[in-house]
Amino acid sequence: MTYIGAHLLIGLLVGLALGAVFYMGLWTTIGRASRARRPWVWFAGSFMLRLALVGLGLLLLARNGPWLLVGAFAGLLVARPLVTRAVLGRKERAG
């Protein structure tokens, strides 16, 4: 595997992990905020935490080269439908 290919693959895997954490956090926030007395606290706090986590991960990748960052962005995009399918599939099995 070439240097670029290895960095794209590593970036993709890290992006998938970051995306999974981001979108699962979003899903959890929506569930908790719908039952909370002050939902804006949940939304604001969760957004800042999720954004800081993903931003830090992307910053660390960007310091090591652009191909890691390109792979991570692709991983973030791929993570959304995967997390959505996983969450909806779990709800269908439970419901």
Side-chain angles (χ1 to χ4, degrees):
M1 185 176 281
T2 66
Y3 171 82
I4 293 174
H7 277 82
L8 283 173
L9 181 62
I10 292 168
L12 180 73
L13 294 175
V14 172
L16 280 170
L18 288 173
V21 169
F22 183 87
Y23 293 116
M24 286 301 293
L26 177 60
W27 189 263
T28 303
T29 301
I30 291 170
R32 290 183 184 245
S34 65
R35 297 184 304 268
R37 195 168 144 208
R38 291 187 207 122
W40 65 270
V41 174
W42 277 99
F43 285 118
S46 171
F47 178 71
M48 286 187 282
L49 182 65
R50 289 181 290 119
L51 189 64
L53 181 68
V54 171
L56 180 64
L58 292 176
L59 178 68
L60 291 175
L61 287 176
R63 294 178 70 195
N64 293 309
W67 296 112
L68 287 168
L69 196 58
V70 169
F73 282 129
L76 281 168
L77 291 174
V78 170
R80 183 175 177 247
L82 293 177
V83 169
T84 302
R85 187 174 300 139
V87 168
L88 292 179
R90 187 173 38 181
K91 281 184 75 173
E92 288 175 0
R93 285 190 300 264

